[in-house]
Amino acid sequence: MSIRVTVWGENVHEHKNKVVAQVYPKTMHGTIAEALNGTDGITASTVTLQDPEHGLTAAKLAETDVLVWWGHAAHGDVQDEIVERVCNAVWGGMGMIFLHSAHFAKPFKRLMGAPCNLTWREAGERERLWVTSRQHPIAAGLPDHFELEHEEMYGEPFGVPEPLETVFISWFAGGEVFRSGLTYRRGAGNIFYFRPGHETYPTYHDANVQRVIRNAVHWAHNPMPRIRNPNDAPNTPVTAALEPIVERGPRLHHDGEEGFR
Amino acid sequence: MSIRVTVWGENVHEHKNKVVAQVYPKTMHGTIAEALNGTDGITASTVTLQDPEHGLTAAKLAETDVLVWWGHAAHGDVQDEIVERVCNAVWGGMGMIFLHSAHFAKPFKRLMGAPCNLTWREAGERERLWVTSRQHPIAAGLPDHFELEHEEMYGEPFGVPEPLETVFISWFAGGEVFRSGLTYRRGAGNIFYFRPGHETYPTYHDANVQRVIRNAVHWAHNPMPRIRNPNDAPNTPVTAALEPIVERGPRLHHDGEEGFR
Amino acid sequence: MSIRVTVWGENVHEHKNKVVAQVYPKTMHGTIAEALNGTDGITASTVTLQDPEHGLTAAKLAETDVLVWWGHAAHGDVQDEIVERVCNAVWGGMGMIFLHSAHFAKPFKRLMGAPCNLTWREAGERERLWVTSRQHPIAAGLPDHFELEHEEMYGEPFGVPEPLETVFISWFAGGEVFRSGLTYRRGAGNIFYFRPGHETYPTYHDANVQRVIRNAVHWAHNPMPRIRNPNDAPNTPVTAALEPIVERGPRLHHDGEEGFR
Amino acid sequence: MSIRVTVWGENVHEHKNKVVAQVYPKTMHGTIAEALNGTDGITASTVTLQDPEHGLTAAKLAETDVLVWWGHAAHGDVQDEIVERVCNAVWGGMGMIFLHSAHFAKPFKRLMGAPCNLTWREAGERERLWVTSRQHPIAAGLPDHFELEHEEMYGEPFGVPEPLETVFISWFAGGEVFRSGLTYRRGAGNIFYFRPGHETYPTYHDANVQRVIRNAVHWAHNPMPRIRNPNDAPNTPVTAALEPIVERGPRLHHDGEEGFR
């Protein structure tokens, strides 16, 4: 069965900025979805900020195996209720890929529990990504490094938690470095952050970048059933204890009662 | 100079529940602060949920090196604004220790980015904590295991991210296990979660438990200056680039402009 | 294409000890291989300590995707040269699963760089394994815990490095706990340690245990090409630098020369 | 009490190469020890490859809190027995700092369990180290980046296990990046790898480099008692079990017997 990917696009600069419109005549999310679609058993669709519920209804998330997120100008317009819904889907097992300026997207910050800040410069400078974990599935089919001739610079320190794995590190012509590919797990969900993708450059048309995103979709996909209530904290009463124990001492709760939240 | 610890107490059950009041006549936070105070160069004070701004004013956090948090019945009463303030202090370098039912405290969930759920049973059963990282500073002076004769059970799976280090794992008489001591770093702040401490049992009078919390205070303390704006994402203009580069291609931002959030 | 698994068996107690011979009439490695064979696209074969080169010729390793290792009484009989060959295969991308007493196998100790010690007791006591990482691929299809009625006890502290992920933790009737399922990566190779499997008990006939090993084979399998010389440290001469640089200052080496080892 | 540091120097190029002799008239290890000595409560001494037992007698290791290691040309001359002795000291709690070309030193490879390889170029090019973990104790007192005008290049992929923390990443003028500061724990010992320090450049005279090494000494120092037998795997007989259990089923071992190795 194919992996169902939803590409979430902020969909703002494509319509307000001539350069972006020219570079991405099919929109950014449309370009990314097209690059994924039909390859390697992936079926990709798109939703946008402007859709009802930002396109991320409970039904849509239920049929999304991996969610790809690009946002920049309108992070603040994303409703907190939808952010919680997305995080719950991740905790239940949905994979998620955050691209570039999504380092400041609400769901990324929520899942990291950290500032997620960095330094930046918009000068169309050269970026070179180095693979730091040889033969990692997200680096499959890539050379040990590849270049993007024009990119925005992101520099360290990058305010994220220590990742499970560092897959890419970027070199920038202006003198900075950046951890460009990082893996995390939150609940049952696999998360990948991938740095490149400033909207005024043709980054998502690049074959290596498309390859990374495709690989990451496969890596992030958790084929096991989605956990329905990923926040449940069930009580195990004494009578159901796996080893015979006798209740002792005072209690605050009664059997079957829900805990405090 | 001594380490300034603030013990945050929910301060509810001590006044509503006779058992808790008898076990902790000086309140739970008071008992913990007393155990820390004057030892090993620690100066501890207490604040509570009922204080203005829950006792966590900007001034109080600025003079807190390590914050200890115990809450259970009233997680939902903690204002979101204060939660963000606490998280910012952590990201800036304040140490933080979460105790027992604080696994569901708002700042813990916010810093973990994960469900933080577990299974539980209130039966006064035996808990035995095993040291899993020998000679770890948080286990200094402890035997390789110690027991609490009456405790609430918390069972795996514990819905937290992979920690930096697992320091303790608990065995429960009823058949469960739990990762009882976990370290994390978020921004410049060191975080320790420590499991024991149900309010109806005399856990915080236990010498080993007190020792762990004292050790954790020392471990979590970051003596470097607090970062004032831990979320800053500064622009580095082309003219200030460390290597000579020439601006190329189109731009969205002007020099010195703030990025989107 | 199916995953080629080689099960390495020490093959000593099956022939010297009547109990083991009765529990495993087809040998331990034979039992494990049979449980893997033909399922989920796995093809399993066996080799033993007594085979020439312990069955681990360069040719055999080249056609092994995942190596499963069980040893206990004769760790010291494994030749160091074969150990290095196995480690090189792992670094090049071969997956590896270490079972039970293989915590003291030479290749495990070599790959961990740590003591790998623990406490133990042979009393046929109950072990209960808890899943600590929900919906992890190695826990696919398992309940949140399962029991082995008779097992040897292994207790913490377990002298291994912090793992990438903790997948299982065991509870023992005698009062101990143990991190029973741990993942690592060394070079391009995925490594899984799985605790159960004392030779006098029918552990490898257990359906849940077989399931874990099968899952681990899939998890450990790296489908990318094996790295031929995983220890290579190539010189990149100035003339081949990716950015134009001019050689400056004194040198120890000449272009193309190999570095020191 | 002051921290007792031993700086181990290979001590070859200082005597064979005029450039190195001129840059380090007091030898490399002598220069490093001098930079540490008397500062921040550190007492540093030196030993060399040419000393009996390479200067690393059991007595010397017993009174070494943190061992600093620089080697390059003569890795192969270090006796395996001494390597095991050093690793045992680390597992018992001795801190250890590996500098530059010590990425291929026997004890580093032994402790990592990985190839530890990289790419390299000796062109006296500019290296810029970026702090990736703000306010980390090893980065105390440093700016967010610092430069070494002439250094050997080391490039990714660096064949080491995922570290506990990435503290520095280097940018090189020729286009490469490298994880320059990495922390690990093996047994009770804290390990730090720090990249800079090619012998033909004055790197160890640099104030920032000296500061990093000093900070790392404090970070690596484990003040708890050294574990005497860090490889012990003690048997816990049934009669000493913490919970009452009855021995069941067949056994291989007798009470108090040592396990297999």
Side-chain angles (χ1 to χ4, degrees):
Chain A
M1 208 181 81
S2 90
I3 301 176
R4 300 161 302 176
V5 173
T6 301
V7 182
W8 189 90
E10 186 180 86
N11 194 35
V12 170
H13 283 140
E14 290 97 328
H15 304 288
K16 288 194 176 167
N17 184 296
K18 280 189 185 171
V19 175
V20 180
Q22 282 173 341
V23 177
Y24 294 107
K26 297 180 178 180
T27 73
M28 300 184 76
H29 45 285
T31 303
I32 294 166
E34 193 174 279
L36 293 171
N37 228 334
T39 63
D40 303 330
I42 295 175
T43 308
S45 62
T46 62
V47 295
T48 66
L49 173 68
Q50 297 79 22
D51 291 335
E53 305 183 42
H54 310 322
L56 300 170
T57 59
K60 182 65 178 173
L61 289 176
E63 56 189 30
T64 298
D65 295 315
V66 179
L67 179 61
V68 179
W69 190 285
W70 193 98
H72 188 189
H75 293 321
D77 295 348
V78 178
Q79 299 167 48
D80 289 337
E81 184 195 339
I82 307 297
V83 172
E84 281 307 299
R85 192 188 290 163
V86 166
C87 290
N88 272 285
V90 170
W91 297 333
M94 183 179 75
M96 193 149 183
I97 299 171
F98 291 95
L99 296 174
H100 189 64
S101 41
H103 72 91
F104 263 165
K106 283 184 178 181
F108 187 66
K109 294 176 70 173
R110 180 75 183 82
L111 291 164
M112 293 295 106
C116 304
N117 55 337
L118 43 78
T119 70
W120 59 282
R121 178 177 54 237
E122 195 186 2
E125 70 199 89
R126 185 177 311 126
E127 174 178 14
R128 181 178 297 111
L129 291 101
W130 289 91
V131 173
T132 50
S133 181
R134 295 179 86 181
Q135 314 293 80
H136 191 283
I138 297 180
L142 290 173
D144 64 357
H145 69 272
F146 65 93
E147 293 177 9
L148 298 167
E149 188 54 31
H150 298 89
E151 254 297 349
E152 184 180 19
M153 181 280 289
Y154 278 6
E156 294 279 350
F158 185 20
V160 286
E162 284 291 326
L164 278 187
E165 303 159 303
T166 300
V167 183
F168 300 106
I169 295 179
S170 287
W171 177 100
F172 287 96
E176 282 87 357
V177 296
F178 195 75
R179 288 171 289 170
S180 279
L182 300 173
T183 69
Y184 294 92
R185 199 172 213 258
R186 291 290 183 268
N190 297 312
I191 299 167
F192 183 60
Y193 174 79
F194 187 50
R195 200 214 76 84
H198 189 56
E199 58 264 54
T200 59
Y201 311 122
T203 297
Y204 296 118
H205 296 295
D206 181 86
N208 286 318
V209 167
Q210 292 182 355
R211 167 70 72 123
V212 170
I213 300 174
R214 239 171 6 235
N215 288 343
V217 163
H218 285 275
W219 172 86
H221 175 223
N222 190 336
M224 297 177 68
R226 190 74 53 87
I227 301 170
R228 285 210 182 191
N229 301 303
N231 301 293
D232 260 13
N235 177 254
T236 305
V238 175
T239 50
L242 297 161
E243 301 289 329
I245 53 171
V246 175
E247 189 183 323
R248 306 182 300 185
R251 292 173 67 181
L252 280 172
H253 298 276
H254 302 287
D255 276 350
E257 193 183 341
E258 274 201 35
F260 298 117
R261 275 176 186 268
Chain B
M1 210 180 82
S2 89
I3 302 176
R4 300 162 300 176
V5 173
T6 299
V7 182
W8 189 91
E10 187 181 86
N11 195 35
V12 170
H13 284 138
E14 290 96 328
H15 303 289
K16 289 194 176 167
N17 184 297
K18 280 189 186 172
V19 175
V20 180
Q22 282 174 339
V23 178
Y24 293 107
K26 297 181 177 179
T27 71
M28 301 183 75
H29 45 286
T31 302
I32 294 166
E34 194 175 278
L36 293 171
N37 229 333
T39 64
D40 303 328
I42 295 174
T43 307
S45 62
T46 62
V47 295
T48 66
L49 173 67
Q50 297 79 22
D51 291 334
E53 305 184 41
H54 310 322
L56 300 170
T57 59
K60 183 64 177 174
L61 289 175
E63 56 188 30
T64 298
D65 294 316
V66 180
L67 180 61
V68 179
W69 190 285
W70 193 98
H72 189 190
H75 292 320
D77 295 348
V78 179
Q79 299 167 47
D80 290 337
E81 184 194 340
I82 307 296
V83 173
E84 281 306 300
R85 193 187 290 165
V86 166
C87 290
N88 272 284
V90 170
W91 298 334
M94 183 179 75
M96 193 149 183
I97 300 171
F98 291 95
L99 296 173
H100 189 63
S101 40
H103 73 91
F104 264 166
K106 283 185 180 180
F108 188 65
K109 294 176 68 173
R110 179 74 183 82
L111 291 165
M112 293 295 105
C116 303
N117 55 338
L118 43 78
T119 70
W120 59 281
R121 177 177 55 237
E122 196 186 2
E125 70 199 87
R126 186 177 311 125
E127 173 178 16
R128 182 178 295 110
L129 291 100
W130 288 91
V131 173
T132 50
S133 181
R134 295 180 86 182
Q135 313 294 81
H136 191 282
I138 296 179
L142 291 173
D144 64 357
H145 69 272
F146 66 93
E147 293 177 8
L148 298 167
E149 189 53 34
H150 297 88
E151 253 297 350
E152 184 180 18
M153 181 280 288
Y154 279 5
E156 293 280 350
F158 185 19
V160 286
E162 283 292 325
L164 278 187
E165 303 160 302
T166 300
V167 183
F168 300 106
I169 294 179
S170 286
W171 177 101
F172 287 96
E176 282 88 356
V177 295
F178 196 75
R179 289 170 291 170
S180 279
L182 299 173
T183 69
Y184 294 92
R185 200 172 212 259
R186 291 289 183 270
N190 298 310
I191 298 168
F192 183 61
Y193 174 80
F194 188 50
R195 198 213 77 84
H198 190 57
E199 57 264 56
T200 60
Y201 311 123
T203 298
Y204 295 119
H205 296 296
D206 182 86
N208 286 317
V209 167
Q210 293 182 356
R211 168 69 72 122
V212 170
I213 300 174
R214 255 196 321 263
N215 288 342
V217 162
H218 285 275
W219 173 85
H221 175 223
N222 189 336
M224 297 178 69
R226 190 72 53 88
I227 301 171
R228 284 207 184 196
N229 302 303
N231 300 294
D232 260 15
N235 177 254
T236 304
V238 174
T239 50
L242 297 160
E243 301 289 329
I245 52 170
V246 175
E247 191 184 321
R248 306 183 297 186
R251 292 172 68 180
L252 280 173
H253 299 277
H254 302 288
D255 276 350
E257 195 183 339
E258 275 201 35
F260 298 118
R261 274 177 186 268
Chain C
M1 208 180 80
S2 91
I3 301 176
R4 300 162 301 176
V5 173
T6 300
V7 182
W8 188 91
E10 187 180 85
N11 196 35
V12 170
H13 283 139
E14 290 96 328
H15 304 288
K16 290 194 176 169
N17 185 297
K18 280 189 184 171
V19 175
V20 180
Q22 282 174 341
V23 178
Y24 294 107
K26 298 182 178 178
T27 72
M28 300 183 77
H29 45 284
T31 304
I32 294 167
E34 192 174 280
L36 292 171
N37 228 333
T39 63
D40 303 330
I42 295 175
T43 307
S45 62
T46 62
V47 294
T48 67
L49 173 67
Q50 297 79 23
D51 291 335
E53 305 184 41
H54 310 324
L56 300 171
T57 59
K60 183 64 178 175
L61 289 176
E63 56 190 30
T64 298
D65 294 316
V66 179
L67 180 60
V68 179
W69 190 285
W70 192 99
H72 188 191
H75 292 321
D77 295 347
V78 179
Q79 298 166 48
D80 290 337
E81 185 194 339
I82 307 297
V83 172
E84 281 306 299
R85 192 187 291 164
V86 167
C87 290
N88 272 284
V90 170
W91 297 334
M94 183 179 74
M96 192 148 185
I97 300 171
F98 291 95
L99 296 175
H100 189 63
S101 40
H103 73 91
F104 263 166
K106 282 184 180 181
F108 188 65
K109 292 175 71 174
R110 180 76 183 81
L111 291 164
M112 293 296 105
C116 304
N117 55 338
L118 43 78
T119 70
W120 59 281
R121 178 177 53 237
E122 196 186 1
E125 69 200 87
R126 185 176 312 126
E127 174 178 14
R128 182 177 297 110
L129 291 100
W130 288 91
V131 173
T132 50
S133 181
R134 296 180 85 180
Q135 314 292 82
H136 191 283
I138 297 180
L142 291 173
D144 64 358
H145 68 273
F146 66 94
E147 292 177 9
L148 298 167
E149 188 55 31
H150 298 88
E151 253 298 348
E152 184 181 18
M153 180 281 289
Y154 279 5
E156 295 280 350
F158 185 19
V160 286
E162 285 291 327
L164 278 187
E165 303 160 302
T166 300
V167 183
F168 300 106
I169 294 178
S170 286
W171 177 101
F172 289 96
E176 283 87 356
V177 296
F178 196 75
R179 288 169 290 169
S180 279
L182 300 173
T183 69
Y184 294 93
R185 199 171 214 259
R186 291 291 183 268
N190 298 311
I191 299 168
F192 182 61
Y193 174 81
F194 187 51
R195 199 214 76 84
H198 190 56
E199 56 265 54
T200 59
Y201 312 122
T203 299
Y204 296 118
H205 296 297
D206 182 86
N208 286 318
V209 167
Q210 292 182 355
R211 168 69 72 123
V212 170
I213 300 173
R214 254 194 326 260
N215 288 343
V217 163
H218 285 275
W219 173 84
H221 175 224
N222 189 336
M224 296 177 69
R226 190 74 52 89
I227 300 172
R228 285 208 182 195
N229 301 303
N231 301 293
D232 260 14
N235 177 254
T236 305
V238 174
T239 49
L242 297 160
E243 301 289 328
I245 53 170
V246 175
E247 190 184 322
R248 306 181 300 183
R251 292 172 67 180
L252 280 172
H253 298 277
H254 301 288
D255 276 350
E257 194 183 339
E258 274 201 35
F260 299 116
R261 272 177 187 267
Chain D
M1 209 181 80
S2 90
I3 301 175
R4 301 162 300 176
V5 173
T6 300
V7 182
W8 189 91
E10 186 181 85
N11 196 34
V12 170
H13 283 140
E14 290 97 327
H15 304 289
K16 289 195 176 167
N17 184 296
K18 280 189 187 173
V19 175
V20 180
Q22 282 175 338
V23 177
Y24 293 107
K26 298 181 178 179
T27 71
M28 300 183 78
H29 45 286
T31 302
I32 294 166
E34 193 175 280
L36 293 170
N37 229 333
T39 63
D40 303 329
I42 296 174
T43 307
S45 62
T46 63
V47 295
T48 67
L49 173 68
Q50 297 79 22
D51 291 334
E53 305 184 41
H54 310 323
L56 300 171
T57 60
K60 183 63 178 175
L61 288 175
E63 55 189 30
T64 297
D65 295 316
V66 180
L67 180 60
V68 179
W69 191 285
W70 192 98
H72 188 189
H75 292 321
D77 294 348
V78 178
Q79 299 166 46
D80 289 338
E81 185 194 339
I82 308 297
V83 172
E84 281 307 298
R85 192 186 291 163
V86 167
C87 290
N88 272 283
V90 170
W91 298 335
M94 183 180 74
M96 194 149 183
I97 300 171
F98 291 95
L99 296 175
H100 189 63
S101 40
H103 72 91
F104 263 166
K106 283 185 180 181
F108 188 65
K109 293 176 71 173
R110 180 74 183 81
L111 291 164
M112 293 296 105
C116 304
N117 56 338
L118 42 77
T119 69
W120 58 282
R121 178 177 53 236
E122 197 186 1
E125 70 200 87
R126 185 176 310 127
E127 174 178 15
R128 182 178 296 112
L129 291 101
W130 288 91
V131 173
T132 50
S133 181
R134 295 179 86 181
Q135 314 293 79
H136 191 282
I138 297 180
L142 290 174
D144 64 357
H145 69 273
F146 65 94
E147 292 177 9
L148 298 167
E149 187 55 31
H150 298 88
E151 254 297 351
E152 184 181 19
M153 181 281 288
Y154 278 7
E156 294 279 350
F158 185 20
V160 287
E162 285 291 327
L164 278 187
E165 303 160 302
T166 300
V167 183
F168 300 107
I169 295 178
S170 286
W171 177 101
F172 288 97
E176 283 88 356
V177 296
F178 196 75
R179 288 170 291 169
S180 279
L182 300 173
T183 70
Y184 294 93
R185 199 171 213 260
R186 291 290 182 270
N190 297 311
I191 299 167
F192 183 60
Y193 174 79
F194 187 49
R195 200 213 76 82
H198 190 56
E199 57 265 55
T200 59
Y201 311 122
T203 298
Y204 296 118
H205 296 296
D206 181 86
N208 285 318
V209 167
Q210 294 182 355
R211 167 69 72 122
V212 170
I213 300 174
R214 249 189 335 255
N215 288 343
V217 163
H218 285 275
W219 173 85
H221 176 224
N222 189 337
M224 297 177 70
R226 190 74 52 88
I227 301 171
R228 283 208 185 195
N229 301 303
N231 301 294
D232 260 15
N235 177 254
T236 304
V238 174
T239 49
L242 297 160
E243 301 289 329
I245 53 171
V246 176
E247 190 184 320
R248 307 182 297 185
R251 292 173 68 181
L252 279 174
H253 299 277
H254 302 287
D255 276 349
E257 194 183 339
E258 274 201 36
F260 299 117
R261 273 176 187 269

